[in-house]
Amino acid sequence: MLNKKELIYYAVIDLFKNKANINNIKISDIAKSANMGKGTVYEYFRSKDEIISETILYIIEENTNKITSMFNHNQDFKINMLNHIKILLELILENSKFHSIFMSGEMSSLFDQDYEHKLMNKIMETKKHYFQILKTILNKGVEENKFNKVLDPYIFNAIGNTIFTSIMYYIHECNDNLEVESFIEKVYNLILKMVK
Amino acid sequence: MLNKKELIYYAVIDLFKNKANINNIKISDIAKSANMGKGTVYEYFRSKDEIISETILYIIEENTNKITSMFNHNQDFKINMLNHIKILLELILENSKFHSIFMSGEMSSLFDQDYEHKLMNKIMETKKHYFQILKTILNKGVEENKFNKVLDPYIFNAIGNTIFTSIMYYIHECNDNLEVESFIEKVYNLILKMVK
Amino acid sequence: MLNKKELIYYAVIDLFKNKANINNIKISDIAKSANMGKGTVYEYFRSKDEIISETILYIIEENTNKITSMFNHNQDFKINMLNHIKILLELILENSKFHSIFMSGEMSSLFDQDYEHKLMNKIMETKKHYFQILKTILNKGVEENKFNKVLDPYIFNAIGNTIFTSIMYYIHECNDNLEVESFIEKVYNLILKMVK
Amino acid sequence: MLNKKELIYYAVIDLFKNKANINNIKISDIAKSANMGKGTVYEYFRSKDEIISETILYIIEENTNKITSMFNHNQDFKINMLNHIKILLELILENSKFHSIFMSGEMSSLFDQDYEHKLMNKIMETKKHYFQILKTILNKGVEENKFNKVLDPYIFNAIGNTIFTSIMYYIHECNDNLEVESFIEKVYNLILKMVK
DNA sequence: AATGAATGAGCGTTCATTCAT
DNA sequence: GATGAATGAACGCTCATTCAT
């Protein structure tokens, strides 16, 4: 059972998906979508900026948890990497608009200073956490002697971005009726080349 | 000497850089930044949407020209690729906020239908044109027997995105005092791995 | 007790009387005159055009009802005609500016197409309805053998206009301290001549 | 050959005819219609209000002259009255929008106090002058023993308004394909009844 | 706790008027 | 004298926020 705050989060997430852009989301839309009065929304949040930025924090938290819990120490490098790409694909498919804003880093600029700061910190922290997961997965490959330990943070970054931009390409631009599994295999192979 | 329309373009570009986000740009800001009255702005554009979208078209056009004119047939693959990365770095440094919005594809949703359509077409066309340039550069490498012809559009896309995200990483996140030249060399080496 | 919509109608009617012309009425005037905020006005109407045209429809409706309910089958022709002129005098006195615009037919051109159409239809319908009342009154005179049945629509029109322009003359131009009753008697006599 | 001021008058008159309402006439429209620059218009008039009100004065003057010069002492009452109605019909047909505003008396309210006053005076004076003409024509009928001298200003007023509203009826509402001559004859007959 | 009617600051846009050329 | 580019006051409308119920 969702509490009121979560009802509001999901209302905003819904509007993210359907409304063209974040700036056009109105409090009245959120209230209607959450099946409550406008006044009620303000019982749980102090301002629109707070609603939007906390929703973003909520999405980030949820997604990070899903990505983290996907890793399985008992599986080998390839399985873990394929699963990682798969879960990311699912999460992005569910809310691609959100993720492209998140990745572009343009999220921060939507709010007043205080919220921007809080949000930027969360994003930084999340990225660090994400690289930790990526490192854990890649270390599996090192253990399996597939390649040498990746030390350069630049490469970590490039791999992370490649996974994301590959998914965006698959969703938005890829025209050959490529099966999901083949696509994921392709990304996996490209990553292998990058770490070699 | 800039004409009034260009003065307005540069005013908007300036606000892109400094103002938090596109949606917060006000006509009064543009007018002030361009040193003219609000009414004057409307002598040259019919609406705020037109101003923003035409400014974006203007930036795209300018940047595309610079990127295109950088290629030199008489130089070898490596020189051309390094120069390509360098000019992109310069252009993005000049207006990184714009580029991250452009790359995220979130630009379109800011305007009413007509402008969105026009803009999306330009972006599509620009991406195609960009891949053409990338292909031309990569073909140099093929001629030089550095690697085999790249046929998969997925790889083109991945390379293009890697260049961009690498630059964003260099600008925003890289903490080791990495020299520009070393950075560019690093990107070059990563691309080499990707096409092998 | 008036509801908000009616408060707005009466605010506009008040401004009709005092403000020079319809086109100079501002939303801020209406809001102030109705003792509410500008935003509140927009809770009840979608646009200024809607406010003005619906107010006009409201006035027409109210006036038509008063004029209609004045007719009494048990009274003779003269009494009915005198009462008819009397009620018209009262209504026009209450809002002469409105009536002269209404009669001139210049009302329609104030609004965008949709409202103009709706309003024109109402005006047409109202005029037909008015001529019906006039016919009913005149038929009393025919029953009483005062004159022959009036068949020519031109004469109907002329009588209707004569009543109106006579009243405007009495209100605005008549300088002899003519008693209302004497004036009405005068109009009555003129009408009698016209139908003979 | 028209001078600049007259070019502006005729530009405004043209816009009266075609534009829905007076308030929508823009200085830029007037300038374009008069084939001159906006600045030039202001060489001849001090403000938009002055342009509109002086144009109205010009139209009134022109029309009054035409109406006055129509009267012919050597013709009998009927001929003069028929000619009078005919010339009015022509003038109103030429610019019916203007005349309905003029008759409704709503003209005055378009301007600031000073112009309103000047205009109202002209209108009053014109109406007096018009009644003088009407009286002259009616006196012909008295001379010819058609009816007794009309003394009551109310009747003058009613006759004047009947002529006008009859013409408006003929132009806008009359649906039987009534010949102009028959229509004018009808109005003449109604007037005869009114003065009897 | 829940509501939604009421609000007004703030924005996009228009257009009469000015003034340098 | 003739011009039209430049201007900014003013208006219609939106929407985040408040508060009485």
Side-chain angles (χ1 to χ4, degrees):
Chain A
M1 188 53 195
L2 296 172
N3 61 31
K4 285 264 153 80
K5 269 201 149 184
E6 284 173 324
L7 279 173
I8 293 167
Y9 290 148
Y10 283 105
V12 176
I13 291 168
D14 233 59
L15 292 165
F16 265 153
K17 291 179 196 168
N18 303 320
K19 274 260 168 175
N21 85 45
I22 300 189
N23 299 278
N24 286 343
I25 294 179
K26 289 162 212 156
I27 289 290
S28 58
D29 292 335
I30 295 171
K32 198 191 291 174
S33 173
N35 277 314
M36 56 180 81
K38 262 188 296 174
T40 313
V41 174
Y42 278 88
E43 293 291 323
Y44 297 91
F45 296 93
R46 268 172 304 188
S47 71
K48 188 183 160 185
D49 271 7
E50 187 173 290
I51 296 170
I52 302 293
S53 70
E54 291 210 1
T55 301
I56 292 170
L57 292 175
Y58 179 81
I59 299 174
I60 291 173
E61 194 67 28
E62 294 276 288
N63 283 358
T64 306
N65 288 341
K66 282 183 190 153
I67 293 167
T68 306
S69 68
M70 203 53 177
F71 180 76
N72 184 342
H73 249 298
N74 302 320
Q75 301 283 358
D76 68 10
F77 168 66
K78 185 167 180 180
I79 299 284
N80 268 307
M81 185 54 94
L82 296 181
N83 282 339
H84 178 69
I85 298 167
K86 199 181 217 159
I87 186 74
L88 272 172
L89 175 58
E90 276 166 25
L91 294 175
I92 291 172
L93 262 176
E94 222 185 276
N95 197 350
S96 81
K97 203 155 293 168
F98 169 78
H99 281 90
S100 60
I101 297 170
F102 176 64
M103 289 304 290
S104 76
E106 280 317 290
M107 202 142 253
S108 57
S109 50
L110 305 172
F111 317 105
D112 75 47
Q113 290 297 105
D114 280 355
Y115 295 115
E116 173 171 351
H117 205 237
K118 209 173 163 190
L119 194 54
M120 283 309 282
N121 284 343
K122 183 68 177 182
I123 289 176
M124 291 300 196
E125 184 197 308
T126 304
K127 285 201 168 165
K128 262 184 207 156
H129 184 84
Y130 175 70
F131 284 136
Q132 207 49 53
I133 296 167
L134 207 57
K135 196 177 276 179
T136 311
I137 296 172
L138 289 171
N139 278 341
K140 271 277 168 189
V142 177
E143 282 171 25
E144 294 165 19
N145 289 315
K146 284 216 157 66
F147 44 82
N148 293 326
K149 205 174 178 77
V150 181
L151 294 167
D152 191 348
Y154 164 66
I155 296 296
F156 275 123
N157 194 78
I159 293 170
N161 280 316
T162 295
I163 295 172
F164 175 74
T165 58
S166 296
I167 290 169
M168 294 307 278
Y169 170 81
Y170 181 66
I171 296 173
H172 293 301
E173 288 170 66
C174 178
N175 299 310
D176 3 317
N177 296 62
L178 193 62
E179 295 285 319
V180 186
E181 278 72 24
S182 319
F183 161 69
I184 292 176
E185 191 83 23
K186 240 178 175 174
V187 181
Y188 173 75
N189 288 329
L190 183 58
I191 292 170
L192 270 190
K193 284 192 206 163
M194 291 170 85
V195 291
K196 283 261 166 76
Chain B
M1 188 51 195
L2 296 172
N3 62 30
K4 281 271 151 69
K5 264 201 151 183
E6 284 173 326
L7 278 174
I8 293 167
Y9 290 148
Y10 284 106
V12 176
I13 292 169
D14 232 58
L15 291 165
F16 268 157
K17 290 179 197 168
N18 304 318
K19 269 259 168 178
N21 85 41
I22 299 190
N23 299 277
N24 286 342
I25 294 179
K26 288 154 217 152
I27 287 291
S28 56
D29 293 335
I30 295 172
K32 200 189 290 174
S33 171
N35 276 316
M36 53 180 83
K38 259 191 301 169
T40 311
V41 173
Y42 279 88
E43 294 288 322
Y44 298 91
F45 296 93
R46 268 172 308 198
S47 69
K48 189 184 153 182
D49 271 7
E50 187 172 290
I51 296 169
I52 302 293
S53 72
E54 290 210 2
T55 301
I56 292 169
L57 292 175
Y58 179 80
I59 299 173
I60 291 173
E61 193 68 29
E62 294 275 289
N63 284 355
T64 305
N65 289 341
K66 282 182 191 154
I67 293 167
T68 307
S69 66
M70 205 50 178
F71 180 76
N72 184 343
H73 249 297
N74 302 320
Q75 300 285 356
D76 68 11
F77 168 66
K78 184 167 180 181
I79 297 285
N80 269 306
M81 184 55 94
L82 296 181
N83 281 340
H84 179 69
I85 298 166
K86 198 181 217 161
I87 186 74
L88 273 172
L89 175 57
E90 275 166 25
L91 293 175
I92 292 171
L93 261 176
E94 223 185 275
N95 196 351
S96 81
K97 202 155 290 168
F98 169 79
H99 281 89
S100 59
I101 298 170
F102 176 64
M103 289 304 289
S104 76
E106 280 316 290
M107 203 144 254
S108 57
S109 50
L110 305 172
F111 317 105
D112 79 46
Q113 288 295 103
D114 279 356
Y115 295 116
E116 173 172 349
H117 206 236
K118 211 175 162 190
L119 196 53
M120 284 309 282
N121 284 344
K122 184 69 179 182
I123 289 176
M124 291 299 195
E125 184 197 308
T126 304
K127 285 201 167 164
K128 262 185 206 157
H129 184 84
Y130 176 70
F131 284 135
Q132 207 50 52
I133 295 167
L134 207 56
K135 195 176 276 179
T136 311
I137 295 172
L138 290 171
N139 278 342
K140 272 276 165 188
V142 176
E143 283 171 27
E144 295 166 19
N145 290 313
K146 286 216 155 68
F147 44 82
N148 292 326
K149 209 174 174 77
V150 181
L151 295 166
D152 191 348
Y154 165 65
I155 296 297
F156 274 123
N157 195 78
I159 292 170
N161 279 315
T162 295
I163 295 172
F164 175 74
T165 59
S166 296
I167 290 169
M168 293 308 277
Y169 170 80
Y170 181 67
I171 294 174
H172 293 301
E173 289 171 65
C174 179
N175 299 310
D176 4 318
N177 297 63
L178 192 62
E179 294 284 319
V180 185
E181 277 72 24
S182 317
F183 161 70
I184 293 177
E185 190 83 23
K186 242 177 172 174
V187 181
Y188 173 75
N189 288 329
L190 183 56
I191 292 170
L192 270 190
K193 285 191 204 163
M194 292 170 84
V195 291
K196 282 267 164 71
Chain C
M1 188 50 195
L2 296 172
N3 63 30
K4 282 270 151 70
K5 265 200 153 187
E6 284 173 327
L7 278 173
I8 293 167
Y9 290 148
Y10 285 106
V12 176
I13 291 168
D14 232 58
L15 290 165
F16 268 157
K17 291 178 197 168
N18 304 319
K19 269 259 167 178
N21 86 40
I22 299 189
N23 299 277
N24 286 341
I25 294 179
K26 288 154 217 154
I27 288 291
S28 56
D29 292 335
I30 295 172
K32 199 189 292 174
S33 171
N35 275 316
M36 54 180 80
K38 259 189 304 168
T40 310
V41 173
Y42 280 89
E43 294 288 322
Y44 298 90
F45 296 92
R46 269 172 307 198
S47 68
K48 188 184 154 183
D49 271 7
E50 187 172 291
I51 297 169
I52 302 294
S53 72
E54 291 209 0
T55 301
I56 292 170
L57 292 175
Y58 179 81
I59 299 173
I60 291 173
E61 194 68 28
E62 293 276 289
N63 284 356
T64 305
N65 289 341
K66 282 182 191 154
I67 292 167
T68 307
S69 67
M70 204 51 177
F71 179 76
N72 184 342
H73 249 297
N74 302 320
Q75 302 283 357
D76 68 11
F77 167 66
K78 186 169 180 181
I79 299 283
N80 269 307
M81 184 55 93
L82 295 180
N83 282 339
H84 179 69
I85 298 166
K86 199 182 216 160
I87 186 73
L88 273 172
L89 174 58
E90 276 166 26
L91 294 174
I92 291 171
L93 260 176
E94 224 185 272
N95 196 351
S96 80
K97 203 155 289 167
F98 168 79
H99 281 90
S100 60
I101 298 170
F102 176 64
M103 290 303 290
S104 76
E106 280 315 289
M107 203 144 252
S108 57
S109 51
L110 305 172
F111 316 106
D112 78 48
Q113 289 296 103
D114 279 356
Y115 295 115
E116 174 172 349
H117 205 238
K118 211 175 162 190
L119 196 53
M120 283 309 281
N121 283 343
K122 184 69 179 181
I123 289 176
M124 292 299 196
E125 185 197 306
T126 304
K127 285 200 168 166
K128 263 184 205 155
H129 183 84
Y130 176 69
F131 284 135
Q132 206 52 51
I133 296 167
L134 207 54
K135 197 176 275 179
T136 311
I137 296 173
L138 290 171
N139 278 341
K140 273 275 166 189
V142 177
E143 284 170 26
E144 295 165 17
N145 290 314
K146 285 218 156 62
F147 42 83
N148 293 326
K149 208 175 175 78
V150 180
L151 296 166
D152 191 348
Y154 165 67
I155 296 297
F156 273 122
N157 195 77
I159 292 170
N161 280 315
T162 295
I163 296 172
F164 174 74
T165 58
S166 296
I167 290 169
M168 294 308 278
Y169 169 79
Y170 181 66
I171 295 173
H172 295 300
E173 288 170 66
C174 179
N175 300 310
D176 6 316
N177 298 63
L178 192 62
E179 295 285 318
V180 185
E181 278 71 25
S182 317
F183 161 69
I184 293 177
E185 190 82 23
K186 242 178 172 172
V187 181
Y188 172 75
N189 287 330
L190 183 56
I191 292 168
L192 269 191
K193 286 191 204 163
M194 292 170 84
V195 291
K196 282 263 166 76
Chain D
M1 189 53 196
L2 296 172
N3 62 30
K4 285 264 151 80
K5 269 200 150 185
E6 284 174 325
L7 278 173
I8 293 167
Y9 291 147
Y10 284 105
V12 176
I13 291 168
D14 232 59
L15 291 166
F16 265 153
K17 291 179 196 169
N18 303 319
K19 276 258 169 177
N21 86 45
I22 300 190
N23 300 276
N24 286 342
I25 294 179
K26 291 162 212 154
I27 288 290
S28 57
D29 293 334
I30 295 172
K32 198 191 291 172
S33 174
N35 277 314
M36 56 180 81
K38 260 188 298 174
T40 312
V41 173
Y42 278 88
E43 293 291 323
Y44 296 91
F45 297 93
R46 267 171 306 188
S47 70
K48 188 183 160 184
D49 271 7
E50 186 172 291
I51 296 168
I52 302 293
S53 69
E54 291 210 0
T55 301
I56 292 170
L57 292 175
Y58 179 81
I59 299 173
I60 292 173
E61 193 67 29
E62 293 275 289
N63 283 357
T64 306
N65 289 341
K66 282 181 191 156
I67 293 167
T68 306
S69 66
M70 204 53 177
F71 180 75
N72 183 342
H73 249 296
N74 301 319
Q75 301 283 357
D76 68 10
F77 167 68
K78 185 168 181 180
I79 297 285
N80 268 307
M81 184 55 94
L82 297 181
N83 282 341
H84 179 69
I85 298 167
K86 198 182 218 160
I87 186 74
L88 272 172
L89 175 57
E90 276 165 25
L91 293 174
I92 291 172
L93 262 177
E94 221 186 277
N95 197 350
S96 82
K97 204 155 292 167
F98 168 78
H99 281 90
S100 60
I101 298 170
F102 176 63
M103 289 305 289
S104 76
E106 280 316 290
M107 203 143 251
S108 58
S109 51
L110 305 171
F111 318 104
D112 75 48
Q113 290 296 105
D114 280 356
Y115 295 115
E116 173 171 352
H117 205 236
K118 209 172 161 191
L119 195 54
M120 284 309 282
N121 284 343
K122 182 69 177 181
I123 289 176
M124 290 301 195
E125 183 198 309
T126 304
K127 285 199 167 166
K128 261 183 207 155
H129 184 85
Y130 175 70
F131 284 137
Q132 207 50 53
I133 296 167
L134 207 55
K135 195 176 278 179
T136 312
I137 295 172
L138 290 171
N139 278 341
K140 272 275 168 192
V142 177
E143 283 171 26
E144 295 165 18
N145 290 312
K146 285 212 155 69
F147 43 82
N148 293 327
K149 206 172 178 80
V150 180
L151 295 166
D152 191 347
Y154 164 68
I155 296 296
F156 275 121
N157 193 79
I159 293 170
N161 279 316
T162 296
I163 296 172
F164 175 75
T165 59
S166 296
I167 290 169
M168 294 308 278
Y169 170 80
Y170 182 67
I171 295 174
H172 295 300
E173 289 170 67
C174 178
N175 299 309
D176 3 318
N177 297 63
L178 192 63
E179 295 285 319
V180 186
E181 278 73 25
S182 318
F183 161 69
I184 293 176
E185 190 83 23
K186 240 178 175 172
V187 181
Y188 172 75
N189 288 328
L190 184 57
I191 292 169
L192 270 190
K193 285 191 204 164
M194 292 170 84
V195 291
K196 283 261 164 77

